[in-house]
Amino acid sequence: MTFYGGLSAEHLKQFIERLERIEEEKSGLADDTKMVFAEAKSGGFDTKTIKEVLKHRKLDKNTIDEQEHLLGAYKRALGMLPELDKEGQLWKTLS
Amino acid sequence: MTFYGGLSAEHLKQFIERLERIEEEKSGLADDTKMVFAEAKSGGFDTKTIKEVLKHRKLDKNTIDEQEHLLGAYKRALGMLPELDKEGQLWKTLS
Amino acid sequence: MTFYGGLSAEHLKQFIERLERIEEEKSGLADDTKMVFAEAKSGGFDTKTIKEVLKHRKLDKNTIDEQEHLLGAYKRALGMLPELDKEGQLWKTLS
Amino acid sequence: MTFYGGLSAEHLKQFIERLERIEEEKSGLADDTKMVFAEAKSGGFDTKTIKEVLKHRKLDKNTIDEQEHLLGAYKRALGMLPELDKEGQLWKTLS
DNA sequence: AACGTTGAAATAGTTC
DNA sequence: GAACTATTTCAACGTT
């Protein structure tokens, strides 16, 4: 095995190749995406709108409660709601 | 005026300098931001929450009325929104 | 089949789902990439440099030479580099 | 002044507003930058290269040398560049 | 086909 | 130094 300034050429080569393989697959998927959009378009759909729908579904999926959460944070910052502790639980003084 | 491979050194220099001046100002504003957050923090506010509030206000500003858009129709088709009647109103059974 | 303003909900749904499936695969590949970089890093490699190498391997050699030549010309025009003579050699006054 | 849960809504409002004002200015500067690049482009300059130049001017020279040295080592390890001898010179068999 | 526009991916910077 | 956020960069698309 050959070393260059203390690094192993063989290992480096393998990392590079793995990354390039993944990159190729990503590129393939990008092509797939383009194909689907082309089909949809020729089927009379508006691709821009489809993209918006995808975005919204993603938002809905990932942050379904986030709007609520943001609103809560806002109100909490203004003292309109009771505060939460570190665990996200209602903080309550035991007197 | 001196040319290097057909480009004017003088013009290039001026563009570069304008960009660097703008960059400095941006950097100054970044510092301002940091200062405000530091103040807020020492005033007992939670900076993370303030950032959330800012994000929220920005979103509110950019929010558009989807109902009149094609997007509404598509989301409706996917059951992501309730249906509208012929007059474009929300359809609601009166029981 | 239900139509909404003339568009087929069923077809739309299928396009959306295909796109979302592709999107998931892309996301998986992104995770793979992160993993490889993590491995490389823990093996003592510099990830930033690896990214540079990938970029260079991806780019056509002519493109790189071109880009670097352009960069040199601009830096020379700004006095960031010494000037070259007609043959592209370092020009030096012999006094 | 009104207090909610011990924090001042008025102060919060002021912090928010200062931050939003700064944000606007930043946005204005971003527009300025775009304008300068547009001018440079219509003057025949390559904007990508200008960005590279700015980066180089910003970075400490040592950092650049370091980074380029590392890149060279990696490319050499991958056979993308010819090897160097102990003195850092191009090694060449004399046949 | 060059241009600007848009959206997504990569990178840099900041915070804890 | 790891996660989060902001910024920059890159690629696709429609437009002129």
Side-chain angles (χ1 to χ4, degrees), chain B residues 30-42:
Chain B
D31 291 345
D32 291 351
T33 302
K34 268 188 274 188
M35 259 170 51
V36 177
F37 275 116
E39 268 187 61
K41 188 170 193 169
S42 79

Side-chain angles (χ1 to χ4, degrees), chain B residues 22-60:
Chain B
I22 293 170
E23 199 51 40
E24 266 181 55
E25 296 185 53
K26 276 211 282 191
S27 169
L29 290 177
D31 291 345
D32 291 351
T33 302
K34 268 188 274 188
M35 259 170 51
V36 177
F37 275 116
E39 268 187 61
K41 188 170 193 169
S42 79
F45 293 95
D46 177 62
T47 56
K48 184 176 171 174
T49 304
I50 291 183
K51 281 173 190 171
E52 287 191 73
V53 171
L54 288 168
K55 204 192 292 178
H56 194 203
R57 283 165 67 93
K58 199 171 185 178
L59 282 178
D60 285 352

Side-chain angles (χ1 to χ4, degrees), chain A residues 24-42:
Chain A
E24 266 181 56
E25 296 185 52
K26 277 213 280 191
S27 169
L29 289 177
D31 291 346
D32 291 351
T33 302
K34 267 189 278 186
M35 259 171 50
V36 177
F37 275 116
E39 267 187 64
K41 187 170 195 172
S42 78

Side-chain angles (χ1 to χ4, degrees), chain A residues 44-46 49-50 52-53 56-57 60 66-67 69-71 73-74 77, chain B residues 45 49 52-53 55-57 59-60 64 66 69-71 74-75 78 80:
Chain A
F45 293 96
D46 179 64
T49 305
I50 291 183
E52 286 192 69
V53 171
H56 279 234
R57 282 167 68 94
D60 287 352
E66 192 159 316
Q67 282 305 92
H69 177 257
L70 273 175
L71 182 59
Y74 194 11
Chain B
F45 293 95
T49 304
E52 287 191 73
V53 171
K55 204 192 292 178
H56 194 203
R57 283 165 67 93
L59 282 178
D60 285 352
I64 51 157
E66 290 176 1
H69 204 248
L70 198 51
L71 177 61
Y74 280 40
K75 290 177 80 171
L78 293 164
M80 294 169 72

Side-chain angles (χ1 to χ4, degrees), chain A residues 18-28, chain C residues 33 58:
Chain A
R18 278 166 72 191
L19 290 166
E20 285 178 338
R21 230 170 297 129
I22 293 171
E23 200 51 40
E24 266 181 56
E25 296 185 52
K26 277 213 280 191
S27 169
Chain C
T33 302
K58 189 171 176 182

